Amino acid sequence: MRIGELSRRTGVSPRLLRYYEEQGLLHSERDANGYRKYRPDAVGHVGRIRELLGAGMTTGTIRTLLPCAQGGPGLHTCAHSARVLEDQLARVEEQMAELRRRKRALLGVAETMQARRREDEALARAALKSF
């Protein structure tokens, strides 16, 4: 199938399909006229790429996992895929911890701002009463 059909069947733009190809995630052959030609299994392949991207993986990481992602959804269990997924999960946990820390810091700033506003309002009321 040509890139337009692959795009229609996957919902992924031709430009993004070409990018996947540049990144070594997707492969095509060329017709005599130079048009890209994809095998029928490219639809599932693009689906797996999108699944892994949606999980937050980089194209570089996905490139290393694609040999473990053949023949259906998900990944085949192998030492490499298990290690990569463990690393990805650890990275997400670190990011979540950092986001929790930032949330606490922002809540502290908001609390300080509210306390300062209450003080300012109390001072303004006291000043108005003195007139």
Side-chain angles (χ1 to χ4, degrees), residues 16-28 36 38 45 49 58-67 70:
L16 196 49
L17 293 171
R18 286 188 290 273
Y19 174 75
Y20 293 166
E21 201 169 332
E22 290 171 9
Q23 295 299 305
L25 305 178
L26 186 62
H27 304 286
S28 68
R36 286 175 169 84
Y38 297 94
H45 199 72
I49 292 167
T58 66
T59 56
T61 300
I62 294 169
R63 187 174 38 256
T64 70
L65 285 176
L66 285 178
Q70 304 303 315

Side-chain angles (χ1 to χ4, degrees), residues 40-85:
D41 65 349
V43 173
H45 199 72
V46 170
R48 281 185 287 287
I49 292 167
R50 301 295 296 165
E51 175 186 23
L52 296 171
L53 284 169
M57 293 185 186
T58 66
T59 56
T61 300
I62 294 169
R63 187 174 38 256
T64 70
L65 285 176
L66 285 178
C68 298
Q70 304 303 315
L75 298 169
H76 293 288
T77 303
C78 65
H80 175 70
S81 64
R83 188 171 46 256
V84 169
L85 290 176

